[in-house]
Amino acid sequence: MPQPDLTLTPAGPALAPRYRDRAPRPLPANPYLRLFSHPGTRAFTAGNLIARLPVGMFGVSAVIMIAAAYGSYALAGAVTAANLAVGSVTGPLIARLVDRYGQARIAVPATAYAVLGHLVLLLCVHERAPVWALFLTTAVTATTPNTGGMSRARWAHLLRDDPDALHTANAFEQAVDELCYMIGPVLAAVLCSALFPEAGTLTAAVLFLGGTLVFAAQRSTEPPVAPRAAAGSPLRVPGVAPLLAVFLATGAVFGSMEVVALAYVDGPVAGPVLALQAAGSCAAGLLYGRARRTARLRTCLAAMTVVMAMPLLAASTGSLLALAAGLLVAGMATAPTMLTGMALIQRLTPTAQLNEGMTLTVTALLAGIATGSATGGWAADHAPFASFGFLIPVTAAALALALCTTTGVGRRA
């Protein structure tokens, strides 16, 4: 039996307290759970998730709201296209301010300004304002900050000394993107149809502002403002411009696939069938994040070119189930390609310009999506046979692969 320890006190000898040595708690075996063992990561991820969900809601909500009030889907599409065009200019500028002055200092007023624009657009539509007012108001909403880019910047700061964990974090962020783009439009459509046409925009505005406030309040994980040693745009960094060209072509893959798939199915099941592509991308991204080895961007684009032929072959059979399976398989190349490209832009871009670099990437991707949507729509209207439109995503993927191969982007990142 162990003897009790004695210690001297002013009142005389007394039993010394025993302190049980506590071993450090072991880290979870799951790499995704290990990400959230860092202090503050759960809070900023929750806030960013709330703020990112409305990104997939605003466009669908605006289309439904404007079409219901003015009876024109053409007008609704033109207004949302104008928002995308203005955002391609303002997005990198806002990201540059975030890099220069910090996330919380810029993201909160930029979000508040964008939310105010959405609410004014809602009032204009409700009161049947002139068409020019819709275009003017939607330009105000283009101050939306890149919430996904800010979250990736936090992970890059927290995990700067752990490349494997940073790869897992990028995979998690890509899966969140796919999840938000899969749930957001469905939620917006349900709100607008079940309640009133403006319900989607109103809910998205509340979620966007609330989520950004929660995200910005987590100052302990916010990256410090780095000294701005580099001047000008990240476009001057060697390798960035070719990478943006690759993302432009990759965006055309996504935009054209969405339009031609919707035109081919043309029914109430079009949405769920198309959502299988996002589901496949989400699952593949999570699996890719657990891998210890990563593929090169050229390898990912080659795989994307191959699997994008699956929907074409499936559509040629005329079977809806075959097309659904083809879209599921095609989506599995999306997330690995995207997170490999995002990892490249993180390595190429100076720390002081990281948010701007990632926002330029998103801008190139959105421009490609718009181009692919227009091309896919033309192909759907002028198709000599039913599956003709599915040639566009395959061609765009092959173009992205050719650009990556000829420019050597990512070879010496």
Side-chain angles (χ1 to χ4, degrees), residues 44-395:
F44 90 73
T45 301
N48 190 267
L49 180 61
I50 297 172
R52 210 186 306 188
L53 181 62
V55 175
M57 298 176 61
F58 279 124
V60 173
S61 300
V63 168
I64 296 176
M65 179 175 65
I66 295 172
Y70 292 83
S72 172
Y73 278 98
L75 174 61
V79 172
T80 54
N83 175 265
L84 179 63
V86 178
S88 66
V89 178
T90 59
L93 298 178
I94 293 172
R96 181 177 297 182
L97 294 175
V98 169
D99 284 325
R100 186 171 297 180
Y101 300 107
Q103 294 183 355
R105 190 174 177 183
I106 299 301
V108 172
T111 300
Y113 198 69
V115 167
L116 179 62
H118 283 291
L119 295 179
V120 173
L121 176 64
L122 185 151
L123 291 176
C124 289
V125 173
H126 184 74
E127 297 298 327
R128 308 295 196 278
V131 170
W132 61 264
L134 305 185
F135 287 95
L136 182 64
T137 307
T138 194
V140 179
T141 67
T143 61
T144 302
N146 182 8
T147 51
M150 291 190 296
S151 183
R152 287 179 171 90
R154 293 203 180 202
W155 287 119
H157 168 65
L158 294 173
L159 306 174
R160 57 191 179 276
D161 298 325
D162 192 346
D164 291 337
L166 182 57
H167 168 68
T168 303
N170 285 332
F172 170 77
E173 290 295 326
Q174 186 61 38
V176 169
D177 279 341
E178 301 294 343
L179 187 65
C180 290
Y181 279 110
M182 187 166 52
I183 296 177
V186 176
L187 179 60
V190 170
L191 289 172
C192 292
S193 58
L195 299 178
F196 47 91
E198 296 86 359
T201 299
L202 188 61
T203 303
V206 173
L207 291 175
F208 187 36
L209 181 59
T212 303
L213 290 175
V214 173
F215 175 78
Q218 314 308 315
R219 304 301 292 270
S220 62
T221 54
E222 181 178 349
V225 178
R228 195 170 182 82
S233 171
L235 289 171
R236 298 182 179 181
V237 178
V240 170
L243 182 58
L244 295 183
V246 171
F247 268 96
L248 182 68
T250 306
V253 176
F254 307 147
S256 58
M257 180 64 78
E258 180 178 0
V259 172
V260 299
L262 290 174
Y264 181 87
V265 178
D266 191 23
V269 297
V273 169
L274 190 61
L276 289 174
Q277 183 180 0
S281 177
C282 182
L286 292 175
L287 290 175
Y288 189 64
R290 295 176 65 96
R292 295 183 180 273
R293 298 184 61 183
T294 57
R296 299 173 68 178
L297 181 60
R298 186 173 61 182
T299 304
C300 293
L301 290 171
M304 173 179 283
T305 305
V306 173
V307 299
M308 282 298 160
M310 299 301 176
L312 172 63
L313 297 176
S316 302
T317 66
S319 171
L320 186 59
L321 291 178
L323 177 61
L327 288 172
L328 181 66
V329 174
M332 292 180 180
T334 302
T337 303
M338 290 300 301
L339 68 93
T340 301
M342 283 295 182
L344 273 176
I345 202 70
Q346 288 176 359
R347 293 200 296 269
L348 290 170
T349 308
T351 304
Q353 298 174 301
L354 185 56
N355 283 285
E356 185 178 357
M358 287 191 290
T359 302
L360 284 171
T361 304
V362 174
T363 301
L365 190 69
L366 292 176
I369 290 174
T371 304
S373 298
T375 307
W378 177 89
D381 288 341
H382 300 83
F385 51 90
S387 60
F388 174 79
F390 289 98
L391 287 170
I392 306 299
V394 181
T395 305

